[in-house]
Every structure is written in C-alpha cells, then in structure tokens.
Amino acid sequence: MELYKAEENTDGTLSKGADGKLEKGALLKVFVMGKGRGWGESAPAGMHNGDWVYSAYLADGKPLSDSPVTCRGCHLPMGEAQDFVHRYDEYVQSRKS
C-alpha cells in the first residue's frame, strides 16, 4: 500500500480535482505485507498471526523501524475469519461499486 501526501495549493489549503477528491502529491511511505509458509514464525511473543510478515518504508527506501510491531498490532485483532487482512471484505465491496 502506498501512502501519498495530499497536494497543497499555494495558500496551504488542500488541492482538489474536478471530481472533488484530493489530488495526490509526493509519495511518503510504502507498506508491504506478505504471506508464506512459516514466514510468521519469527514474530514477537503474543504477536504471531499466522504466516504473515510486514514491513514499511519511507519514499527513499529506508525502512521504518517500528513498522512490523505496529502493523502486527493492528492486524492481529482481525482474527482468522479475515485471515488477518484489515477490512478486506469492505475493501472488495467498495471496489465493486
């Protein structure tokens, strides 16, 4: 998942396109998650959530140091019913409309 800064106008307000949505500015961060057999075994105690691993990077490619624990903490409560993917069903449904 890529995270972009919202484009700003010269007066500091956020720039919107003709559709009324914010315009994309510079890339800020990239979040990555992957799943593979045995990948999650190195998770910290209490943070194991299947075979998922997480990472996050700044736009220049440097890693965000706390990202794996932060990512796991957010995805962990989702439980096996959603295979640790945060609001996956809502995301898919929103893409259909």
Side-chain angles (χ1 to χ4, degrees), residues 28-61:
L28 294 175
K29 300 174 185 175
V30 176
F31 299 93
V32 181
M33 60 187 287
K35 184 178 181 182
R37 186 169 298 211
W39 287 7
E41 292 175 3
S42 64
M47 299 298 284
H48 186 264
N49 60 351
D51 291 327
W52 288 101
V53 292
Y54 307 91
S55 193
Y57 304 89
L58 294 171
D60 64 4

Side-chain angles (χ1 to χ4, degrees), residues 42-90:
S42 64
M47 299 298 284
H48 186 264
N49 60 351
D51 291 327
W52 288 101
V53 292
Y54 307 91
S55 193
Y57 304 89
L58 294 171
D60 64 4
K62 292 178 183 170
L64 290 172
S65 60
D66 66 340
S67 65
V69 173
T70 302
C71 294
R72 284 186 181 281
C74 192
H75 286 266
L76 190 63
M78 298 311 295
E80 291 190 40
Q82 293 194 23
D83 199 24
F84 309 105
V85 179
H86 196 58
R87 290 187 268 234
Y88 179 78
D89 56 334
E90 295 173 12

